[in-house]
Amino acid sequence: MKVGVVTFPGSLDDRDAARAVRAVGGEPVSLWHGDADLKGVDAVILPGGFSYGDYLRCGAIARFAPVMDELVPAAQGGLPVLGICNGFQVLTESHLLPGALIRNDHRKFNCVDTTLRVENAQTSWTSDFEQSQEITIVLKNGEGGFVADERTLDELEGEGRVVFRYVVPEGDRNPNGSYRDIAGITNERGNVVGLMPHPEHCVEEGFGPSLDGLPFFTSILKQVVNS
């Protein structure tokens, strides 16, 4: 299984994503933002970081990178794509996923271990989870508040496209002000998934709060092998 990992100027979790792919027996393939070729990969990860320094709006410049000219139609055609944090922002900016990510409602950068509930275990990237399973992975962002209009939110809920939701203790609130506690969503086909927390930091003992990130990568490995 070859998984492309895109590096934009400012990406900082690309090597972690590649390491996670390697941890499950996959072959990471480096894709540069200026590449106009996906190099025959079976799936793509848009990693976290600060693409183009977030100088305009997170992900807003990255969507115009040459590699996105290849990636967007490939994703629309069914290529599995996972966007993590800044990658999630790039996916919404490129309209592969609806909604937007805005500044955290408390206006502070967050770096915390976060509990999520798996709301959809049938996507390309979540099939190795159990439905309603609770997982703990790290979250780190300053602009992680997921927002959308009410109609879009209702569509996401009604079509089962909310993939992860923050588990929020009674009387508390989610870590960034995301509407309806949404932490991750998918497209209609289930091949494109975006989420704010970082599964690639939870694949090895001694690093991160758990190994709950591994099923993201074993899920796509099994799909590719079985396809």
Side-chain angles (χ1 to χ4, degrees):
M1 175 187 69
K2 293 183 177 180
V3 179
V5 180
V6 179
T7 299
F8 300 100
S11 295
L12 56 78
D13 291 321
D14 44 352
R15 295 194 178 190
D16 301 72
R19 192 179 181 90
V21 171
R22 201 175 292 115
V24 299
E27 176 185 349
V29 177
S30 297
L31 298 176
W32 185 235
H33 67 102
D35 287 344
D37 180 3
L38 297 181
K39 301 182 180 177
V41 297
D42 302 300
V44 169
I45 297 173
L46 298 179
F50 303 90
S51 60
Y52 299 91
D54 291 347
Y55 287 131
L56 176 61
R57 192 176 61 243
C58 299
I61 302 177
R63 64 166 289 199
F64 295 107
V67 72
M68 296 302 293
D69 291 339
E70 302 298 316
L71 181 60
V72 169
Q76 291 169 334
L79 182 74
V81 178
L82 176 66
I84 303 169
C85 195
N86 187 224
F88 186 12
Q89 294 158 342
V90 175
L91 290 176
T92 59
E93 291 289 343
S94 58
H95 306 300
L96 286 172
L97 292 176
L101 283 308
I102 67 170
R103 192 165 177 78
N104 296 342
D105 59 352
H106 45 75
R107 301 293 187 265
K108 296 178 181 176
F109 186 90
N110 249 344
C111 185
V112 294
D113 296 340
T114 307
T115 302
L116 307 177
R117 184 172 55 250
V118 179
E119 302 282 17
N120 182 342
Q122 297 181 333
T123 78
S124 299
W125 299 90
T126 59
S127 60
D128 257 4
F129 288 109
E130 299 291 332
Q131 189 71 24
S132 302
Q133 178 182 349
E134 292 192 0
I135 64 174
T136 300
I137 57 179
V138 68
L139 172 143
K140 49 174 188 169
N141 63 66
E143 299 189 29
F146 178 77
V147 298
D149 59 59
E150 285 298 311
R151 188 182 71 173
T152 300
L153 291 169
D154 288 342
E155 285 180 356
L156 289 170
E157 301 272 13
E159 296 172 1
R161 293 169 54 195
V162 175
V163 182
F164 297 101
R165 211 182 300 270
Y166 297 108
V167 176
V168 182
E170 188 173 350
D172 206 346
R173 62 183 188 180
N174 71 61
N176 43 37
S178 292
Y179 289 1
R180 303 191 188 183
D181 298 326
I182 291 173
I185 59 174
T186 186
N187 64 347
E188 293 88 343
R189 295 179 65 151
N191 62 301
V192 178
V193 170
L195 79 162
M196 286 311 296
H198 287 258
E200 79 279 20
H201 295 327
C202 300
V203 298
E204 293 175 291
E205 293 284 358
F207 300 90
S210 70
L211 298 180
D212 290 344
L214 280 172
F216 285 84
F217 305 98
T218 56
S219 293
I220 194 60
L221 174 65
K222 289 180 180 177
Q223 173 171 310
V224 171
V225 169
N226 294 328
S227 64

